[in-house]
Amino acid sequence: MQYAGYILDLDGVVYIGADAVPYAIESLNAAASRGVRLTAATNNANRPAADVAHHLTDLGLQIAERDVVTSAQAAAAELARMLPAGAEVLAVGGPGVAWALETAGLRPLRASAELAVGDDVARRAAAVMMGYGPAVAWHDLAAASWAIQRGVPWMATNTDSTVPTPFGRALGNGSLVRALIHATGCEPLIAGKPQPTLFETTIAEIGTRDVLVIGDRFDTDIDGAAACGIDSMLVLTGVHGLAELAAQPFERWPQFIAQDLRSLTADVVTVERDGESVSTASDHPLATAVVVAARDRMGQHLERPAYVATEAVAPVVDVRPLLAAAGSVRP
């Protein structure tokens, strides 16, 4: 796979919590040493881009702050186009939400546990911006609810329902967004993936569309890449796996599937389709599992052997011939 740049999702791809995903850092640095430009586009709005970049460099990744773009930056930029400079915006989420608003020339407001104060903030706010933050509390959501019911614009940085943690999946921003939808009857504007803003901003920084999106979720990374007309790779170290792959129509499949990021320098094996037959010349269990997923998609339900990742380097599975035969090649 020869691409000028990689656009990386972070949670579940490069790190989970504070720790690096196994093999991710060394594999990406090896790509950088070959001249591949590494950039990151994350829906996680909790931290400012500088903090995210510092975390990555602390883990050993060769990446600069300018190469990290968060959904909070995209959301704040959208609000800055809608509101006058210096407008007050109720910030719900981690420090990255307030930072992005300030960077965009807006004034973040924070709710208080004192309801009367929270009500005052809700009445002053010209808009609400909501992103992930592990310290989001009831009074934050209450103040957002009051402001939204007044009819001010409501911008969600993203709608990921979960975030990966070392202990399993936990509530993401999307879960809290749905709580506010239920409470207010209002739908937010959405800035993060799968909307194209994050990827288009990163593509402009790289200076070419010859890029590969590497992610662990269909509803953000893979769909977002498709919306921009660029290739993507699903890596099986985060939220979505082969069961989710089999559940998607071919129109939502990525071009590549990988066990982990070591596959970036491994052999490439293809999955092909001839009429109602799907096959691969490889006998690797990952390639076989992808064939089974494709036949599931076609209604040819077979017994699906459990795919278990091993210490051995797995090839990257190229499904472009399968998608072409299925008429599902994206523009």
Side-chain angles (χ1 to χ4, degrees):
M1 297 187 300
Q2 298 296 321
Y3 291 89
Y6 297 152
I7 301 179
L8 306 167
D9 180 51
L10 295 178
D11 288 293
V13 174
V14 180
Y15 53 62
I16 295 177
D19 300 324
V21 170
Y23 316 114
I25 302 301
E26 53 267 44
S27 299
L28 291 170
N29 283 342
S33 70
R34 299 192 304 272
V36 178
R37 177 76 176 274
L38 302 182
T39 58
T42 177
N43 264 1
N44 193 325
N46 182 42
R47 298 180 292 178
D51 291 357
V52 176
H54 290 156
H55 181 193
L56 292 170
T57 55
D58 284 347
L59 292 174
L61 188 65
Q62 300 170 14
I63 196 167
E65 179 183 339
R66 71 175 186 276
D67 293 323
V68 177
V69 183
T70 74
S71 61
Q73 290 172 276
E78 290 292 327
L79 284 178
R81 286 188 278 270
M82 300 167 57
L83 302 173
E88 294 182 312
V89 177
L90 178 58
V92 179
V97 174
W99 165 80
L101 288 169
E102 290 174 342
T103 302
L106 302 170
R107 293 176 59 194
L109 299 173
R110 286 291 193 182
S112 168
E114 299 178 34
L115 294 186
V117 177
D119 180 55
D120 177 65
V121 167
R123 283 187 276 108
R124 288 167 51 195
V128 173
M129 181 165 137
M130 183 173 177
Y132 172 72
V136 171
W138 181 89
H139 61 263
D140 295 305
L141 300 177
S145 178
W146 299 330
I148 292 165
Q149 289 173 74
R150 285 180 40 234
V152 303
W154 173 24
M155 180 72 68
T157 62
N158 67 297
T159 54
D160 299 37
S161 59
T162 62
V163 292
T165 77
F167 314 104
R169 300 178 193 177
L171 275 71
N173 190 53
S175 294
L176 298 184
V177 165
R178 277 188 279 279
L180 276 185
I181 292 172
H182 182 71
T184 65
C186 299
E187 295 279 346
L189 303 168
I190 303 168
K193 299 178 287 187
Q195 304 302 318
T197 307
L198 278 181
F199 288 150
E200 291 294 352
T201 299
T202 307
I203 289 167
E205 172 67 25
I206 297 172
T208 178
R209 301 188 76 83
D210 180 29
V211 295
L212 178 70
V213 171
I214 303 176
D216 69 317
R217 299 180 67 115
F218 284 93
D219 53 348
T220 55
D221 311 309
I222 309 307
D223 287 349
C228 294
I230 54 180
D231 288 349
S232 63
M233 182 173 81
L234 178 70
V235 61
L236 306 179
T237 53
V239 172
H240 289 158
L242 294 171
E244 288 81 8
L245 179 72
Q248 309 306 318
F250 287 131
E251 290 80 5
R252 292 191 76 192
W253 278 38
Q255 284 71 34
F256 304 97
I257 298 100
Q259 173 177 293
D260 56 55
L261 291 185
R262 290 178 297 173
S263 296
L264 291 171
T265 55
D267 294 336
V268 176
V269 301
T270 59
V271 171
E272 317 240 358
R273 177 176 175 179
D274 183 6
E276 294 301 301
S277 173
V278 180
S279 63
T280 178
S282 171
D283 59 359
H284 192 278
L286 178 59
T288 301
V290 172
V291 167
V292 172
R295 294 180 68 175
D296 271 3
R297 188 68 253 156
M298 296 165 61
Q300 301 172 11
H301 302 298
L302 304 175
E303 181 179 352
R304 184 185 300 162
Y307 175 69
V308 179
T310 68
E311 289 299 313
V313 179
V316 62
V317 180
D318 180 353
V319 296
R320 289 176 298 177
L322 165 69
L323 300 181
S328 299
V329 175
R330 291 156 167 163

